[in-house]
């Protein structure tokens, strides 16, 4: 069996980011930003490092050295670039970084940590949106707005001012028990930026590595 090797082998699982096939990405350690903020006042967070690997050339890229109280996460491929989050718990800022392994890394947008909800903070959409979500989705960039979500909903994508959400559904439950008609499935709910439902239908929405979206 032929085994290809990266220029630097670190024992990291470099997973391809949906939307492109060339690069894999991993992090040396990852904790949710919310959890890091909970303990950072008691002890310094040791930091993590974000790593990209080129599956065509074997080259390995690390745009930043590991630093205390700095965490990375939320990698997405959008319109020809990687975008990821940089949370600086010393400066109390969250920054969206724009990155191309064969080109440059630069700050795309920065916001004070006190102005965002760190729980489920992520990058999503075309163009880039910065959101957090629980029972409410809050958008911080490119504009600020919020919409209510059901407890079963989560945002998958934002395109053309439409918010695509996945909702898990259960049928066939009676008196707290499962009947023979029990069914579990996902439903696609599309909302506008005011939270109104534009459409909904059964189906799980998935983005493939080649960028195509499929409903199954």
């Amino acid at each position: 069996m032929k085994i290809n090797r990266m220029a630097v082998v670190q024992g990291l699982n470099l997973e391809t980011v949906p939307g492109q096939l060339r690069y894999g990405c991993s992090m040396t350690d990852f904790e949710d930003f919310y959890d890091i903020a909970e303990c950072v006042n008691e002890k310094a967070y040791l930091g993590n490092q974000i790593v990209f690997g080129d599956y065509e050339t074997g080259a390995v890229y690390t745009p930043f050295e590991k630093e205390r109280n700095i965490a990375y996460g939320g990698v997405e491929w959008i319109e020809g670039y990687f975008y990821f989050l940089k949370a600086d718990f010393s400066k109390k800022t969250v920054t969206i970084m724009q990155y191309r392994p064969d080109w440059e890394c630069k700050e795309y947008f920065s916001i004070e940590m006190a102005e965002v909800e760190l729980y489920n903070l992520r990058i999503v959409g075309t163009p880039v949106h910065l959101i957090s979500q629980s029972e409410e989705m809050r958008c911080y960039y490119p504009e600020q707005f919020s919409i209510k979500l059901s407890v079963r909903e989560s945002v998958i994508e934002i395109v053309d001012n439409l918010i695509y959400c996945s909702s898990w559904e259960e049928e066939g439950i009676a008196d707290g028990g499962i009947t023979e008609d029990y069914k579990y499935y996902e439903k696609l709910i599309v909302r506008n930026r005011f939270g109104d439902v534009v459409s909904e239908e059964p189906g799980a929405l998935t983005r493939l590595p080649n960028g195509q979206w499929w409903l199954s």
Side-chain angles (χ1 to χ4, degrees):
M1 179 177 70
K2 180 182 177 181
I3 298 179
N4 299 300
R5 296 177 183 272
M6 289 291 173
V8 180
V9 176
Q10 304 175 72
L12 297 175
N13 184 15
L14 299 176
E15 297 183 357
T16 54
V17 180
Q20 55 82 50
L21 294 167
R22 179 169 177 173
Y23 297 100
C25 177
S26 186
M27 280 166 284
T28 56
D29 174 65
F30 181 74
E31 295 181 52
D32 189 272
F33 295 160
Y34 178 84
D35 293 328
I36 297 173
E38 290 270 291
C39 67
V40 76
N41 291 329
E42 300 177 10
K43 60 181 180 179
Y45 172 65
L46 297 180
N48 67 354
Q49 194 172 38
I50 190 165
V51 179
F52 294 87
D54 188 333
Y55 282 117
E56 290 185 7
T57 68
V60 174
Y61 302 89
T62 51
F64 295 102
E65 294 300 319
K66 185 175 178 179
E67 294 184 62
R68 284 179 178 268
N69 287 338
I70 293 181
Y72 302 97
V75 183
E76 297 288 338
W77 176 265
I78 301 171
E79 297 183 314
Y81 293 91
F82 286 109
Y83 293 86
F84 58 88
L85 295 177
K86 177 182 179 180
D88 189 324
F89 292 90
S90 295
K91 295 181 179 179
K92 304 296 184 183
T93 59
V94 176
T95 303
I96 299 176
M97 305 300 302
Q98 184 190 66
Y99 182 57
R100 278 285 298 269
D102 56 351
W103 188 28
E104 66 175 350
C105 185
K106 64 180 183 180
E107 292 189 3
Y108 185 79
F109 170 75
S110 188
I111 189 170
E112 295 294 321
M113 199 171 281
E115 297 180 26
V116 301
E117 171 58 62
L118 292 177
Y119 186 73
N120 284 335
L121 187 68
R122 57 182 291 229
I123 296 167
V124 68
T126 305
V128 174
H129 289 68
L130 177 63
I131 69 168
S132 63
Q133 58 179 327
S134 52
E135 292 184 16
E136 178 183 65
M137 188 213 76
R138 297 176 61 192
C139 182
Y140 310 100
Y141 179 86
E143 54 186 327
Q144 296 192 11
F145 66 93
S146 63
I147 65 169
K148 291 290 185 180
L149 301 175
S150 74
V151 294
R152 297 182 175 185
E153 275 182 86
S154 59
V155 176
I156 302 173
E157 181 70 324
I158 302 176
V159 179
D160 297 329
N161 288 319
L162 294 177
I163 301 158
Y164 293 78
C165 305
S166 175
S167 175
W168 58 273
E169 303 292 332
E170 287 182 305
E171 296 179 0
I173 297 178
D175 299 323
I178 295 175
T179 71
E180 293 182 355
D181 297 322
Y182 177 79
K183 183 191 300 184
Y184 172 91
Y185 61 94
E186 290 188 33
K187 182 167 65 176
L188 176 65
I189 300 175
V190 182
R191 297 181 180 273
N192 62 25
R193 63 188 305 276
F194 303 105
D196 304 318
V197 174
V198 176
S199 66
E200 59 180 278
E201 60 180 310
L205 188 63
T206 304
R207 190 185 188 192
L208 302 184
N210 63 8
Q212 292 183 346
W213 289 94
W214 283 82
L215 191 67
S216 59

